[in-house]
């Protein structure tokens, strides 16, 4: 009986040290997996952020183009249509105010 007890003791020690080694490896692998998952999430967040930045840039370019078109349209309106005061002054000075004046002057 004594030999049976002493014979099983080294096997028990081996399995407990193997078990703690496996636990350490499992913990290390779990940490590695978590780190990789965190990296993957960070990369996804960076990609999303880059896409949002690109969308912002496109929208800003469209806005700038619309503002420039509005400004150009206002400038064209201001140049092509003289003010009423300028027309009255031209008539007072005896200048032609429109091309139709040629027919009746």
């Amino acid at each position: 009986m004594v030999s049976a007890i002493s014979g099983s003791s080294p096997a028990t020690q081996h399995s407990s040290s193997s078990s703690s080694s496996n636990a350490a490896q499992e913990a290390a692998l779990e940490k590695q997996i978590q780190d990789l998952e965190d990296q993957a999430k960070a990369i996804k967040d960076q990609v999303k952020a880059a896409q949002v930045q690109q969308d912002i840039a496109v929208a800003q370019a469209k806005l700038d183009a619309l503002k420039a078109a509005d400004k150009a349209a206002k400038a064209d309106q201001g140049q092509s249509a003289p003010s009423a005061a300028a027309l009255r002054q031209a008539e007072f000075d005896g200048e032609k105010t429109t091309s139709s004046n040629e027919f009746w002057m």
Side-chain angles (χ1 to χ4, degrees):
M1 273 297 222
V2 173
S3 65
I5 294 174
S6 65
S8 66
S9 178
T12 305
Q13 288 175 354
H14 177 71
S15 77
S16 67
S17 67
S18 172
S19 157
S20 66
S21 174
N22 285 346
Q25 286 180 346
E26 287 175 10
L29 287 172
E30 286 174 356
K31 183 179 181 334
Q32 183 181 9
I33 290 169
Q34 184 61 48
D35 290 345
L36 290 171
E37 287 174 347
D38 291 345
Q39 282 181 337
K41 184 180 182 302
I43 290 169
K44 285 180 186 177
D45 290 346
Q46 290 172 359
V47 169
K48 285 181 184 177
Q51 288 171 340
V52 169
Q53 288 295 330
Q54 187 177 9
D55 291 345
I56 290 169
V58 168
Q60 186 65 49
K62 287 179 181 179
L63 177 62
D64 292 345
L66 285 174
K67 285 182 179 180
D70 284 347
K71 188 175 181 179
K74 286 179 183 177
D76 285 345
Q77 286 176 353
Q79 291 176 357
S80 65
S83 69
L87 288 173
R88 284 193 302 273
Q89 184 63 44
E91 288 174 359
F92 179 77
D93 293 338
E95 298 174 4
K96 293 189 296 182
T97 56
T98 64
S99 60
S100 65
N101 288 347
E102 294 175 7
F103 298 110
W104 57 272
M105 281 186 98

